Amino acid sequence: MHTPLSDEERRAILERLPRLDAEYNELARQLADLEESGEDGSGTGPLREQLADIAKEAAGLLRRYTDSLPERPLSRCPFSGQILSLVIDDRGLDGLWWNHHAPKRPPGRLPATFFALDGALKLEEKPEKAPFLCAPGPDVPFVLPRLLQFTQVRAVVSSLKIGPHTAYPIVYYADPMLYGEKRVNDWGTDRYWEEGNLLPGVFGPGEYISLTPDPEEYDFDLKPWIRRGKLLWIAPGDQRLVLHGHATGCPYLDLPGSRRLKYIQNGEVWEDDPEYETMDENDPAFDLEHFRRLVERYEKGEV
Amino acid sequence: MAGRKEPVTFELKMGELSAVITKQLGLTPNSGSLLQRAPEPELRDADFAQLLSDGDFLRAARLLAEPDLYVVNRIGGGSMAPEEVRLYRKKSEGEDVAAVAVAPDGTCTLQLYADYRDYLSWWADNFAGKNEETMANYIPPTVSLEQFLIILHAVDCYRRVTFTNMLNYVYANTVYITGAEFARTMAASLKSGDIRWLLPAFTAILPGFARFNINIVPEDVGVLLEHNFFINARRAEDGEDVMVFGEAGRNMGVEFYRSWLLSSGFEINVAGPDGFTAAENIFIAPTALANHFARLLPQEDGKVLVNHQAYTREQLELKLAEIFAKTA
């Protein structure tokens, strides 16, 4: 049931949950130490009670948060015409919906033809501060040719506001459904749910898969894909979600902005730089000092 | 669809077929059977003993007389005269399907296919577009039937305007039509029944079309502007409002002008407690670029939506197989 939160309530919940998380982790560490030192049950009892209280409060706050999220119709299947709705936090990137590693996302209404959800987001002002990693994609919409190579797969790009920012969900649909092929992580997260089975005999059907595409996989030149019928678009602000198959007048072509994946944490924004990924000691451009600094930041948990 | 089994074929006059089935075999054709409308059975001295001892013929006869599902498949339009094949299935007889086509001289070709997939495979080999690459679908997946008719006429208009310009020795980079001309020619087109044009072909080749109520209102034309079939403009020489063909109108117009030769319609009828009802109505217009597939979706309020897709041959075959499997 959708029960909206006031700005103050939302802020209070989003501030309280990380504190509870830290408290919980600290108490859990203390409990582990006690248990390791051979403390019998009487000494750990109060700690266990505290942990249970924190877990209960956190679960209540999380439920309150997820119950507050609105269901937004934001795409349409190009095969059936059915509308796709997501229960999404569109008030800002500080919402737990956008937590890259531990997203809190109630189920939406997905057509049977839904295949994958990706997206892009352009920051229109300084991002909201949140302690978790947020990865909303590049500034401008794109497609993954790896997915569109399948005859039965088509994508739809649309637009909505996330707080002051402009977001571009890119939804892939398949008819007939394509099983056993790699998809892509759900927009902003490090995983997607695979209904089928990528490795029959190794894994059972139904599992989380992590698949972040290589930067070279992204294609930002949308016009050829529209011309081939592989990409359709919905005009920004169109409440009827009318699908368009023509390239003329498409508002998502040649948008200004960075084509690199961006990451946000504690208000800081940085981009995926493929050059750092392929540093080679024999490359004259290799900067050892920079590499060391990057490792240090990584070890401190800043990256 | 590989591995198709060729059908067993029988040829005889419609009156003879009717006579054999009703008089010799004693079967009573139900309301789905073509034989209900067959001419009075003709009995002549011909010897049907060979037919009556042929198991395939006897099975085909039972399917034809007492189906629980029948399909009307019309083929024609563009540059092909219309033809009609009817398919008959009876679940208790297994997967076999009897196909019947009646020539203008009354000769009836009765074929027994191992199942509907073999018929669809034969149909696809002969009448589907062979394209393997996808192309843009300029028509949203669902529009109202009225909007769909308007779009079909817009596609026809491109050819019509091009022909008119050629006849008048007018070379124009910008092809356009006035709103009044569009409305006038659409009315004439619907009235004409001339299946060389896409709009009348749709109304004639789609079995069951006459059953649908059509109520076109001026607002329906908006679909042409919204989806770039036309762009509103003003003629420089006299200031008259015109509609210039946009990306969708131009591309579909050229596609159909240059490469549309025929179309097909399917109506799948299923037996129920109150007789047969149409479960599916499908129209397919193949071109060099796509198989334009239109599936009619009747709504509870009596209106009808059309789901249009531009399919490759593989997609078309998969979709038809899915629809037939679901209905059967």
Side-chain angles (χ1 to χ4, degrees), chain A residues 78-79 151 154 175 226-230 240 242-248, chain B residues 134-138 141-142 226-228 247 307 309-310 312 315 319:
Chain A
F79 299 105
T151 306
R154 289 180 199 163
D175 181 30
I226 296 175
R227 293 244 158 98
R228 286 176 56 192
K230 300 299 283 183
R240 297 176 301 143
V242 173
L243 283 171
H244 296 275
H246 50 96
T248 309
Chain B
T134 56
M135 63 158 283
N137 179 10
Y138 296 109
T142 51
E226 186 165 29
H227 292 279
N228 216 255
E247 178 188 334
N307 183 326
Q309 300 291 332
T312 61
Q315 286 177 303
K319 183 52 72 179

PDB file of all heavy atoms in Angstrom, chain A residues 78-79 151 154 175 226-230 240 242-248, chain B residues 134-138 141-142 226-228 247 307 309-310 312 315 319:
ATOM      1  N   PRO A  78       6.721  -2.759 -26.679  1.00  0.00           N
ATOM      2  CA  PRO A  78       6.474  -2.528 -28.107  1.00  0.00           C
ATOM      3  C   PRO A  78       5.785  -3.696 -28.804  1.00  0.00           C
ATOM      4  O   PRO A  78       5.369  -3.568 -29.946  1.00  0.00           O
ATOM      5  CB  PRO A  78       7.884  -2.323 -28.666  1.00  0.00           C
ATOM      6  CG  PRO A  78       8.786  -3.006 -27.719  1.00  0.00           C
ATOM      7  CD  PRO A  78       8.122  -2.993 -26.369  1.00  0.00           C
ATOM      8  N   PHE A  79       5.672  -4.827 -28.141  1.00  0.00           N
ATOM      9  CA  PHE A  79       5.000  -5.982 -28.741  1.00  0.00           C
ATOM     10  C   PHE A  79       3.521  -6.028 -28.360  1.00  0.00           C
ATOM     11  O   PHE A  79       2.661  -6.201 -29.209  1.00  0.00           O
ATOM     12  CB  PHE A  79       5.677  -7.282 -28.308  1.00  0.00           C
ATOM     13  CG  PHE A  79       7.107  -7.369 -28.716  1.00  0.00           C
ATOM     14  CD1 PHE A  79       8.131  -7.188 -27.798  1.00  0.00           C
ATOM     15  CD2 PHE A  79       7.453  -7.605 -30.043  1.00  0.00           C
ATOM     16  CE1 PHE A  79       9.455  -7.256 -28.184  1.00  0.00           C
ATOM     17  CE2 PHE A  79       8.777  -7.677 -30.435  1.00  0.00           C
ATOM     18  CZ  PHE A  79       9.783  -7.505 -29.497  1.00  0.00           C
ATOM     19  N   THR A 151      16.796 -11.156 -32.551  1.00  0.00           N
ATOM     20  CA  THR A 151      15.691 -10.682 -33.383  1.00  0.00           C
ATOM     21  C   THR A 151      14.495 -10.276 -32.541  1.00  0.00           C
ATOM     22  O   THR A 151      13.825  -9.291 -32.830  1.00  0.00           O
ATOM     23  CB  THR A 151      15.265 -11.798 -34.361  1.00  0.00           C
ATOM     24  OG1 THR A 151      16.416 -12.204 -35.074  1.00  0.00           O
ATOM     25  CG2 THR A 151      14.218 -11.312 -35.334  1.00  0.00           C
ATOM     26  N   ARG A 154      13.601  -5.818 -28.355  1.00  0.00           N
ATOM     27  CA  ARG A 154      13.518  -4.392 -28.688  1.00  0.00           C
ATOM     28  C   ARG A 154      13.640  -3.597 -27.392  1.00  0.00           C
ATOM     29  O   ARG A 154      13.305  -4.101 -26.319  1.00  0.00           O
ATOM     30  CB  ARG A 154      12.188  -4.047 -29.347  1.00  0.00           C
ATOM     31  CG  ARG A 154      12.065  -4.589 -30.746  1.00  0.00           C
ATOM     32  CD  ARG A 154      10.728  -4.221 -31.354  1.00  0.00           C
ATOM     33  NE  ARG A 154      10.444  -5.103 -32.479  1.00  0.00           N
ATOM     34  CZ  ARG A 154       9.252  -5.270 -33.013  1.00  0.00           C
ATOM     35  NH1 ARG A 154       8.214  -4.630 -32.523  1.00  0.00           N
ATOM     36  NH2 ARG A 154       9.076  -6.079 -34.030  1.00  0.00           N
ATOM     37  N   ASP A 175       9.936 -10.898 -27.323  1.00  0.00           N
ATOM     38  CA  ASP A 175       8.773 -11.687 -27.703  1.00  0.00           C
ATOM     39  C   ASP A 175       9.138 -12.524 -28.930  1.00  0.00           C
ATOM     40  O   ASP A 175       9.357 -11.960 -29.995  1.00  0.00           O
ATOM     41  CB  ASP A 175       7.583 -10.788 -28.012  1.00  0.00           C
ATOM     42  CG  ASP A 175       6.350 -11.602 -28.374  1.00  0.00           C
ATOM     43  OD1 ASP A 175       6.229 -12.733 -27.869  1.00  0.00           O
ATOM     44  OD2 ASP A 175       5.519 -11.104 -29.164  1.00  0.00           O
ATOM     45  N   ILE A 226      16.904   3.098 -33.967  1.00  0.00           N
ATOM     46  CA  ILE A 226      15.491   3.451 -34.196  1.00  0.00           C
ATOM     47  C   ILE A 226      15.108   3.066 -35.622  1.00  0.00           C
ATOM     48  O   ILE A 226      14.069   2.464 -35.870  1.00  0.00           O
ATOM     49  CB  ILE A 226      15.260   4.965 -33.956  1.00  0.00           C
ATOM     50  CG1 ILE A 226      15.538   5.314 -32.488  1.00  0.00           C
ATOM     51  CG2 ILE A 226      13.833   5.368 -34.345  1.00  0.00           C
ATOM     52  CD1 ILE A 226      15.464   6.781 -32.165  1.00  0.00           C
ATOM     53  N   ARG A 227      15.986   3.384 -36.566  1.00  0.00           N
ATOM     54  CA  ARG A 227      15.704   3.087 -37.986  1.00  0.00           C
ATOM     55  C   ARG A 227      15.531   1.587 -38.228  1.00  0.00           C
ATOM     56  O   ARG A 227      14.790   1.193 -39.133  1.00  0.00           O
ATOM     57  CB  ARG A 227      16.854   3.635 -38.860  1.00  0.00           C
ATOM     58  CG  ARG A 227      16.921   5.159 -38.845  1.00  0.00           C
ATOM     59  CD  ARG A 227      16.653   5.716 -40.229  1.00  0.00           C
ATOM     60  NE  ARG A 227      16.197   7.089 -40.173  1.00  0.00           N
ATOM     61  CZ  ARG A 227      16.954   8.152 -40.348  1.00  0.00           C
ATOM     62  NH1 ARG A 227      18.244   7.983 -40.559  1.00  0.00           N
ATOM     63  NH2 ARG A 227      16.444   9.364 -40.314  1.00  0.00           N
ATOM     64  N   ARG A 228      16.225   0.791 -37.454  1.00  0.00           N
ATOM     65  CA  ARG A 228      16.116  -0.670 -37.616  1.00  0.00           C
ATOM     66  C   ARG A 228      14.949  -1.240 -36.832  1.00  0.00           C
ATOM     67  O   ARG A 228      14.729  -2.460 -36.823  1.00  0.00           O
ATOM     68  CB  ARG A 228      17.411  -1.352 -37.157  1.00  0.00           C
ATOM     69  CG  ARG A 228      18.562  -1.178 -38.140  1.00  0.00           C
ATOM     70  CD  ARG A 228      19.829  -1.791 -37.591  1.00  0.00           C
ATOM     71  NE  ARG A 228      19.672  -3.200 -37.255  1.00  0.00           N
ATOM     72  CZ  ARG A 228      20.562  -3.889 -36.552  1.00  0.00           C
ATOM     73  NH1 ARG A 228      21.658  -3.305 -36.133  1.00  0.00           N
ATOM     74  NH2 ARG A 228      20.366  -5.168 -36.288  1.00  0.00           N
ATOM     75  N   GLY A 229      14.227  -0.389 -36.138  1.00  0.00           N
ATOM     76  CA  GLY A 229      13.062  -0.866 -35.389  1.00  0.00           C
ATOM     77  C   GLY A 229      13.427  -1.510 -34.068  1.00  0.00           C
ATOM     78  O   GLY A 229      12.578  -2.128 -33.424  1.00  0.00           O
ATOM     79  N   LYS A 230      14.690  -1.380 -33.655  1.00  0.00           N
ATOM     80  CA  LYS A 230      15.127  -2.040 -32.424  1.00  0.00           C
ATOM     81  C   LYS A 230      14.938  -1.147 -31.199  1.00  0.00           C
ATOM     82  O   LYS A 230      14.972  -1.632 -30.075  1.00  0.00           O
ATOM     83  CB  LYS A 230      16.606  -2.433 -32.536  1.00  0.00           C
ATOM     84  CG  LYS A 230      16.920  -3.375 -33.677  1.00  0.00           C
ATOM     85  CD  LYS A 230      16.181  -4.698 -33.556  1.00  0.00           C
ATOM     86  CE  LYS A 230      16.796  -5.603 -32.534  1.00  0.00           C
ATOM     87  NZ  LYS A 230      16.096  -6.918 -32.483  1.00  0.00           N
ATOM     88  N   ARG A 240       0.499   9.384 -21.532  1.00  0.00           N
ATOM     89  CA  ARG A 240      -0.128   8.258 -22.250  1.00  0.00           C
ATOM     90  C   ARG A 240       0.897   7.207 -22.655  1.00  0.00           C
ATOM     91  O   ARG A 240       0.553   6.140 -23.112  1.00  0.00           O
ATOM     92  CB  ARG A 240      -0.845   8.778 -23.497  1.00  0.00           C
ATOM     93  CG  ARG A 240      -2.009   9.740 -23.179  1.00  0.00           C
ATOM     94  CD  ARG A 240      -2.605  10.273 -24.471  1.00  0.00           C
ATOM     95  NE  ARG A 240      -1.595  10.973 -25.255  1.00  0.00           N
ATOM     96  CZ  ARG A 240      -1.510  10.950 -26.590  1.00  0.00           C
ATOM     97  NH1 ARG A 240      -2.385  10.256 -27.294  1.00  0.00           N
ATOM     98  NH2 ARG A 240      -0.558  11.613 -27.213  1.00  0.00           N
ATOM     99  N   VAL A 242       2.919   7.030 -25.224  1.00  0.00           N
ATOM    100  CA  VAL A 242       2.771   6.643 -26.635  1.00  0.00           C
ATOM    101  C   VAL A 242       4.144   6.278 -27.197  1.00  0.00           C
ATOM    102  O   VAL A 242       5.099   7.033 -27.072  1.00  0.00           O
ATOM    103  CB  VAL A 242       2.153   7.806 -27.446  1.00  0.00           C
ATOM    104  CG1 VAL A 242       2.149   7.471 -28.932  1.00  0.00           C
ATOM    105  CG2 VAL A 242       0.754   8.101 -26.952  1.00  0.00           C
ATOM    106  N   LEU A 243       4.213   5.108 -27.816  1.00  0.00           N
ATOM    107  CA  LEU A 243       5.473   4.652 -28.407  1.00  0.00           C
ATOM    108  C   LEU A 243       5.680   5.271 -29.788  1.00  0.00           C
ATOM    109  O   LEU A 243       4.741   5.322 -30.585  1.00  0.00           O
ATOM    110  CB  LEU A 243       5.460   3.132 -28.562  1.00  0.00           C
ATOM    111  CG  LEU A 243       5.693   2.302 -27.311  1.00  0.00           C
ATOM    112  CD1 LEU A 243       5.429   0.832 -27.608  1.00  0.00           C
ATOM    113  CD2 LEU A 243       7.098   2.490 -26.773  1.00  0.00           C
ATOM    114  N   HIS A 244       6.902   5.690 -30.057  1.00  0.00           N
ATOM    115  CA  HIS A 244       7.228   6.244 -31.372  1.00  0.00           C
ATOM    116  C   HIS A 244       8.330   5.412 -32.018  1.00  0.00           C
ATOM    117  O   HIS A 244       9.316   5.077 -31.361  1.00  0.00           O
ATOM    118  CB  HIS A 244       7.698   7.689 -31.249  1.00  0.00           C
ATOM    119  CG  HIS A 244       6.642   8.616 -30.741  1.00  0.00           C
ATOM    120  ND1 HIS A 244       5.717   9.208 -31.556  1.00  0.00           N
ATOM    121  CD2 HIS A 244       6.343   9.003 -29.483  1.00  0.00           C
ATOM    122  CE1 HIS A 244       4.893   9.952 -30.825  1.00  0.00           C
ATOM    123  NE2 HIS A 244       5.250   9.846 -29.560  1.00  0.00           N
ATOM    124  N   GLY A 245       8.139   5.125 -33.316  1.00  0.00           N
ATOM    125  CA  GLY A 245       9.131   4.329 -34.036  1.00  0.00           C
ATOM    126  C   GLY A 245       9.900   5.152 -35.051  1.00  0.00           C
ATOM    127  O   GLY A 245      10.736   4.620 -35.769  1.00  0.00           O
ATOM    128  N   HIS A 246       9.632   6.448 -35.132  1.00  0.00           N
ATOM    129  CA  HIS A 246      10.318   7.303 -36.110  1.00  0.00           C
ATOM    130  C   HIS A 246      11.457   8.063 -35.436  1.00  0.00           C
ATOM    131  O   HIS A 246      11.378   8.397 -34.248  1.00  0.00           O
ATOM    132  CB  HIS A 246       9.333   8.294 -36.745  1.00  0.00           C
ATOM    133  CG  HIS A 246       8.511   9.044 -35.749  1.00  0.00           C
ATOM    134  ND1 HIS A 246       8.869  10.299 -35.305  1.00  0.00           N
ATOM    135  CD2 HIS A 246       7.384   8.720 -35.079  1.00  0.00           C
ATOM    136  CE1 HIS A 246       7.969  10.707 -34.412  1.00  0.00           C
ATOM    137  NE2 HIS A 246       7.059   9.768 -34.259  1.00  0.00           N
ATOM    138  N   ALA A 247      12.507   8.308 -36.200  1.00  0.00           N
ATOM    139  CA  ALA A 247      13.664   9.016 -35.635  1.00  0.00           C
ATOM    140  C   ALA A 247      13.450  10.523 -35.638  1.00  0.00           C
ATOM    141  O   ALA A 247      13.984  11.236 -34.781  1.00  0.00           O
ATOM    142  CB  ALA A 247      14.914   8.661 -36.434  1.00  0.00           C
ATOM    143  N   THR A 248      12.647  11.005 -36.598  1.00  0.00           N
ATOM    144  CA  THR A 248      12.395  12.446 -36.685  1.00  0.00           C
ATOM    145  C   THR A 248      11.767  12.941 -35.385  1.00  0.00           C
ATOM    146  O   THR A 248      10.769  12.401 -34.935  1.00  0.00           O
ATOM    147  CB  THR A 248      11.415  12.752 -37.842  1.00  0.00           C
ATOM    148  OG1 THR A 248      11.903  12.123 -39.016  1.00  0.00           O
ATOM    149  CG2 THR A 248      11.268  14.243 -38.060  1.00  0.00           C
TER     150      THR A 248
ATOM    151  N   THR B 134      15.190  -6.816 -39.085  1.00  0.00           N
ATOM    152  CA  THR B 134      14.079  -6.038 -38.527  1.00  0.00           C
ATOM    153  C   THR B 134      14.063  -4.639 -39.136  1.00  0.00           C
ATOM    154  O   THR B 134      15.074  -4.170 -39.663  1.00  0.00           O
ATOM    155  CB  THR B 134      14.233  -5.899 -37.006  1.00  0.00           C
ATOM    156  OG1 THR B 134      15.505  -5.321 -36.731  1.00  0.00           O
ATOM    157  CG2 THR B 134      14.113  -7.244 -36.321  1.00  0.00           C
ATOM    158  N   MET B 135      12.937  -4.010 -39.098  1.00  0.00           N
ATOM    159  CA  MET B 135      12.832  -2.616 -39.555  1.00  0.00           C
ATOM    160  C   MET B 135      11.902  -1.852 -38.619  1.00  0.00           C
ATOM    161  O   MET B 135      11.229  -2.441 -37.773  1.00  0.00           O
ATOM    162  CB  MET B 135      12.300  -2.555 -40.983  1.00  0.00           C
ATOM    163  CG  MET B 135      10.894  -3.103 -41.147  1.00  0.00           C
ATOM    164  SD  MET B 135      10.073  -2.484 -42.617  1.00  0.00           S
ATOM    165  CE  MET B 135       9.593  -0.834 -42.121  1.00  0.00           C
ATOM    166  N   ALA B 136      11.905  -0.541 -38.763  1.00  0.00           N
ATOM    167  CA  ALA B 136      11.110   0.302 -37.861  1.00  0.00           C
ATOM    168  C   ALA B 136       9.625  -0.032 -37.981  1.00  0.00           C
ATOM    169  O   ALA B 136       9.127  -0.279 -39.079  1.00  0.00           O
ATOM    170  CB  ALA B 136      11.354   1.762 -38.183  1.00  0.00           C
ATOM    171  N   ASN B 137       8.966  -0.044 -36.848  1.00  0.00           N
ATOM    172  CA  ASN B 137       7.512  -0.158 -36.838  1.00  0.00           C
ATOM    173  C   ASN B 137       6.967   1.235 -36.500  1.00  0.00           C
ATOM    174  O   ASN B 137       7.074   1.681 -35.371  1.00  0.00           O
ATOM    175  CB  ASN B 137       7.053  -1.183 -35.797  1.00  0.00           C
ATOM    176  CG  ASN B 137       5.544  -1.322 -35.739  1.00  0.00           C
ATOM    177  OD1 ASN B 137       4.839  -0.793 -36.606  1.00  0.00           O
ATOM    178  ND2 ASN B 137       5.038  -2.001 -34.733  1.00  0.00           N
ATOM    179  N   TYR B 138       6.421   1.884 -37.494  1.00  0.00           N
ATOM    180  CA  TYR B 138       5.963   3.264 -37.291  1.00  0.00           C
ATOM    181  C   TYR B 138       4.579   3.331 -36.654  1.00  0.00           C
ATOM    182  O   TYR B 138       4.126   4.393 -36.263  1.00  0.00           O
ATOM    183  CB  TYR B 138       5.945   4.007 -38.636  1.00  0.00           C
ATOM    184  CG  TYR B 138       7.316   4.149 -39.242  1.00  0.00           C
ATOM    185  CD1 TYR B 138       7.680   3.430 -40.369  1.00  0.00           C
ATOM    186  CD2 TYR B 138       8.250   4.997 -38.666  1.00  0.00           C
ATOM    187  CE1 TYR B 138       8.952   3.553 -40.914  1.00  0.00           C
ATOM    188  CE2 TYR B 138       9.520   5.129 -39.206  1.00  0.00           C
ATOM    189  CZ  TYR B 138       9.862   4.399 -40.338  1.00  0.00           C
ATOM    190  OH  TYR B 138      11.116   4.523 -40.864  1.00  0.00           O
ATOM    191  N   PRO B 141       2.017  -0.268 -31.112  1.00  0.00           N
ATOM    192  CA  PRO B 141       1.517  -1.652 -31.021  1.00  0.00           C
ATOM    193  C   PRO B 141       0.003  -1.739 -30.907  1.00  0.00           C
ATOM    194  O   PRO B 141      -0.573  -2.733 -31.352  1.00  0.00           O
ATOM    195  CB  PRO B 141       2.205  -2.208 -29.780  1.00  0.00           C
ATOM    196  CG  PRO B 141       2.770  -1.047 -29.062  1.00  0.00           C
ATOM    197  CD  PRO B 141       2.994   0.017 -30.069  1.00  0.00           C
ATOM    198  N   THR B 142      -0.620  -0.758 -30.297  1.00  0.00           N
ATOM    199  CA  THR B 142      -2.078  -0.769 -30.370  1.00  0.00           C
ATOM    200  C   THR B 142      -2.599   0.612 -30.761  1.00  0.00           C
ATOM    201  O   THR B 142      -2.222   1.629 -30.184  1.00  0.00           O
ATOM    202  CB  THR B 142      -2.749  -1.199 -29.043  1.00  0.00           C
ATOM    203  OG1 THR B 142      -2.206  -0.410 -27.980  1.00  0.00           O
ATOM    204  CG2 THR B 142      -2.538  -2.662 -28.745  1.00  0.00           C
ATOM    205  N   GLU B 226       0.815  12.542 -34.982  1.00  0.00           N
ATOM    206  CA  GLU B 226       1.570  12.136 -33.787  1.00  0.00           C
ATOM    207  C   GLU B 226       2.705  11.176 -34.136  1.00  0.00           C
ATOM    208  O   GLU B 226       3.750  11.193 -33.497  1.00  0.00           O
ATOM    209  CB  GLU B 226       0.620  11.470 -32.788  1.00  0.00           C
ATOM    210  CG  GLU B 226       1.288  11.142 -31.472  1.00  0.00           C
ATOM    211  CD  GLU B 226       0.295  10.819 -30.369  1.00  0.00           C
ATOM    212  OE1 GLU B 226      -0.801  10.327 -30.670  1.00  0.00           O
ATOM    213  OE2 GLU B 226       0.639  11.067 -29.203  1.00  0.00           O
ATOM    214  N   HIS B 227       2.491  10.380 -35.176  1.00  0.00           N
ATOM    215  CA  HIS B 227       3.493   9.363 -35.499  1.00  0.00           C
ATOM    216  C   HIS B 227       4.237   9.659 -36.797  1.00  0.00           C
ATOM    217  O   HIS B 227       4.803   8.755 -37.411  1.00  0.00           O
ATOM    218  CB  HIS B 227       2.852   7.977 -35.513  1.00  0.00           C
ATOM    219  CG  HIS B 227       2.422   7.573 -34.135  1.00  0.00           C
ATOM    220  ND1 HIS B 227       3.301   7.068 -33.218  1.00  0.00           N
ATOM    221  CD2 HIS B 227       1.232   7.687 -33.507  1.00  0.00           C
ATOM    222  CE1 HIS B 227       2.662   6.850 -32.075  1.00  0.00           C
ATOM    223  NE2 HIS B 227       1.404   7.226 -32.227  1.00  0.00           N
ATOM    224  N   ASN B 228       4.210  10.937 -37.169  1.00  0.00           N
ATOM    225  CA  ASN B 228       5.045  11.403 -38.269  1.00  0.00           C
ATOM    226  C   ASN B 228       4.708  10.798 -39.628  1.00  0.00           C
ATOM    227  O   ASN B 228       5.572  10.690 -40.496  1.00  0.00           O
ATOM    228  CB  ASN B 228       6.529  11.136 -37.926  1.00  0.00           C
ATOM    229  CG  ASN B 228       7.426  12.236 -38.448  1.00  0.00           C
ATOM    230  OD1 ASN B 228       8.125  12.044 -39.435  1.00  0.00           O
ATOM    231  ND2 ASN B 228       7.364  13.401 -37.848  1.00  0.00           N
ATOM    232  N   GLU B 247       8.436  11.200 -42.015  1.00  0.00           N
ATOM    233  CA  GLU B 247       9.326  10.027 -42.099  1.00  0.00           C
ATOM    234  C   GLU B 247       8.521   8.722 -42.206  1.00  0.00           C
ATOM    235  O   GLU B 247       8.796   7.879 -43.063  1.00  0.00           O
ATOM    236  CB  GLU B 247      10.215   9.984 -40.848  1.00  0.00           C
ATOM    237  CG  GLU B 247      11.139   8.784 -40.790  1.00  0.00           C
ATOM    238  CD  GLU B 247      11.852   8.672 -39.441  1.00  0.00           C
ATOM    239  OE1 GLU B 247      12.031   9.695 -38.755  1.00  0.00           O
ATOM    240  OE2 GLU B 247      12.209   7.542 -39.070  1.00  0.00           O
ATOM    241  N   ASN B 307      -3.196  -4.506 -33.049  1.00  0.00           N
ATOM    242  CA  ASN B 307      -1.778  -4.599 -32.712  1.00  0.00           C
ATOM    243  C   ASN B 307      -1.023  -4.839 -34.003  1.00  0.00           C
ATOM    244  O   ASN B 307      -1.173  -5.879 -34.640  1.00  0.00           O
ATOM    245  CB  ASN B 307      -1.541  -5.744 -31.717  1.00  0.00           C
ATOM    246  CG  ASN B 307      -0.078  -5.830 -31.265  1.00  0.00           C
ATOM    247  OD1 ASN B 307       0.836  -5.556 -32.028  1.00  0.00           O
ATOM    248  ND2 ASN B 307       0.127  -6.221 -30.026  1.00  0.00           N
ATOM    249  N   GLN B 309       2.640  -5.140 -35.997  1.00  0.00           N
ATOM    250  CA  GLN B 309       4.067  -5.388 -35.848  1.00  0.00           C
ATOM    251  C   GLN B 309       4.678  -5.529 -37.237  1.00  0.00           C
ATOM    252  O   GLN B 309       4.025  -6.007 -38.166  1.00  0.00           O
ATOM    253  CB  GLN B 309       4.320  -6.690 -35.073  1.00  0.00           C
ATOM    254  CG  GLN B 309       3.742  -6.718 -33.677  1.00  0.00           C
ATOM    255  CD  GLN B 309       4.452  -5.776 -32.711  1.00  0.00           C
ATOM    256  OE1 GLN B 309       5.638  -5.474 -32.873  1.00  0.00           O
ATOM    257  NE2 GLN B 309       3.728  -5.289 -31.719  1.00  0.00           N
ATOM    258  N   ALA B 310       5.935  -5.088 -37.360  1.00  0.00           N
ATOM    259  CA  ALA B 310       6.689  -5.309 -38.608  1.00  0.00           C
ATOM    260  C   ALA B 310       7.644  -6.458 -38.332  1.00  0.00           C
ATOM    261  O   ALA B 310       8.670  -6.275 -37.690  1.00  0.00           O
ATOM    262  CB  ALA B 310       7.450  -4.041 -38.991  1.00  0.00           C
ATOM    263  N   THR B 312      10.028  -9.997 -39.049  1.00  0.00           N
ATOM    264  CA  THR B 312      10.822 -10.805 -39.975  1.00  0.00           C
ATOM    265  C   THR B 312      10.001 -12.067 -40.249  1.00  0.00           C
ATOM    266  O   THR B 312       9.009 -12.336 -39.558  1.00  0.00           O
ATOM    267  CB  THR B 312      12.157 -11.233 -39.337  1.00  0.00           C
ATOM    268  OG1 THR B 312      11.863 -12.032 -38.190  1.00  0.00           O
ATOM    269  CG2 THR B 312      13.000 -10.041 -38.932  1.00  0.00           C
ATOM    270  N   GLN B 315       9.965 -14.213 -37.107  1.00  0.00           N
ATOM    271  CA  GLN B 315       9.060 -13.687 -36.074  1.00  0.00           C
ATOM    272  C   GLN B 315       7.610 -13.969 -36.428  1.00  0.00           C
ATOM    273  O   GLN B 315       6.802 -14.332 -35.572  1.00  0.00           O
ATOM    274  CB  GLN B 315       9.270 -12.180 -35.910  1.00  0.00           C
ATOM    275  CG  GLN B 315      10.540 -11.794 -35.185  1.00  0.00           C
ATOM    276  CD  GLN B 315      10.698 -10.288 -35.120  1.00  0.00           C
ATOM    277  OE1 GLN B 315      10.722  -9.601 -36.142  1.00  0.00           O
ATOM    278  NE2 GLN B 315      10.787  -9.756 -33.924  1.00  0.00           N
ATOM    279  N   LYS B 319       4.986 -16.162 -34.280  1.00  0.00           N
ATOM    280  CA  LYS B 319       3.760 -15.553 -33.741  1.00  0.00           C
ATOM    281  C   LYS B 319       2.518 -16.306 -34.218  1.00  0.00           C
ATOM    282  O   LYS B 319       1.605 -16.580 -33.430  1.00  0.00           O
ATOM    283  CB  LYS B 319       3.705 -14.068 -34.148  1.00  0.00           C
ATOM    284  CG  LYS B 319       2.536 -13.285 -33.602  1.00  0.00           C
ATOM    285  CD  LYS B 319       2.360 -13.393 -32.108  1.00  0.00           C
ATOM    286  CE  LYS B 319       3.407 -12.658 -31.318  1.00  0.00           C
ATOM    287  NZ  LYS B 319       3.187 -12.756 -29.842  1.00  0.00           N
TER     288      LYS B 319
END
